[in-house]
């Protein structure tokens, strides 16, 4: 009896649109905070960074919501979050192949840490969706 209940719960874990939407919003907000710090006069909505990534995030979300097989869009969301998270983290490190002129200040490094940390919910949600056992019918609840 418990095993059946657990199986039903695990089968639905991969398809939870509210969690995906919230995680995607948090991931995009991380980038927005960075852009708000970088270009406060544009309220963080820079056409070179925020708007294209926002469009990508919306496209991935729509794909995820409409796809019958959630594995492929979940992998795409995971890749999206990993690229942003790793990129946000690596750009804080003083690596010789990423020179910053002028030198960045501590506040900017903290913004990058926030940006990278905001990707974690999407990484978790996408990973759970990938690892969830697929069933023939997905619940739309």
């Amino acid at each position: 009896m418990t095993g059946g209940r657990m199986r039903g719960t695990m089968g639905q874990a991969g398809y939870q649109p509210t969690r995906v939407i919230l995680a995607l919003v948090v991931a995009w907000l991380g980038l927005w905070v960075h852009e708000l710090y970088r270009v406060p006069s544009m309220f963080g909505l820079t056409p070179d960074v925020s708007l294209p990534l926002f469009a990508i995030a919306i496209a991935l979300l729509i794909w995820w919501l409409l796809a019958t097989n959630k594995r492929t869009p979940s992998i795409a969301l995971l890749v999206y979050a990993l690229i942003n998270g790793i990129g946000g983290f690596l750009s804080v490190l003083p690596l010789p192949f990423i020179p910053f002129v002028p030198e960045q200040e501590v506040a900017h490094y903290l913004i990058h840490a926030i940006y990278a940390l905001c990707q974690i919910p999407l990484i978790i949600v996408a990973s759970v969706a990938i690892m969830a056992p697929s069933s023939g019918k997905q619940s739309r609840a």
Side-chain angles (χ1 to χ4, degrees):
M1 185 161 163
T2 305
R5 198 169 1 148
M6 288 294 286
R7 231 177 309 144
T9 304
M10 292 298 286
Q12 294 175 353
Y15 184 73
Q16 297 182 358
T18 305
R19 288 184 184 178
V20 173
I21 292 167
L22 289 175
L24 200 50
V25 167
V26 169
W28 186 78
L29 283 175
L31 178 61
W32 179 78
V33 165
H34 175 270
E35 292 302 291
L36 180 63
Y37 176 80
R38 189 175 73 96
V39 190
S41 64
M42 295 187 74
F43 197 61
L45 298 173
T46 57
D48 62 328
V49 177
S50 294
L51 297 179
L53 284 179
F54 183 67
I56 291 168
I58 292 298
L60 286 172
L61 180 62
I62 290 169
W63 181 26
W64 195 88
L65 289 172
L66 297 178
T68 54
N69 176 5
K70 302 298 179 216
R71 188 170 187 80
T72 304
S74 297
I75 291 170
L77 287 170
L78 179 60
V79 168
Y80 171 78
L82 287 172
I83 288 170
N84 284 305
I86 292 169
F89 176 73
L90 284 180
S91 59
V92 171
L93 300 175
L95 301 171
F97 63 91
I98 309 177
F100 288 107
V101 178
E103 197 65 32
Q104 297 298 317
E105 53 195 44
V106 173
H108 193 216
Y109 290 136
L110 290 174
I111 293 296
H112 271 255
I114 291 168
Y115 167 43
L117 289 173
C118 283
Q119 307 309 307
I120 292 174
L122 186 55
I123 291 169
I124 291 170
V125 168
S127 297
V128 166
I130 291 166
M131 292 185 293
S134 60
S135 62
K137 280 189 167 178
Q138 292 285 347
S139 169
R140 288 254 175 211

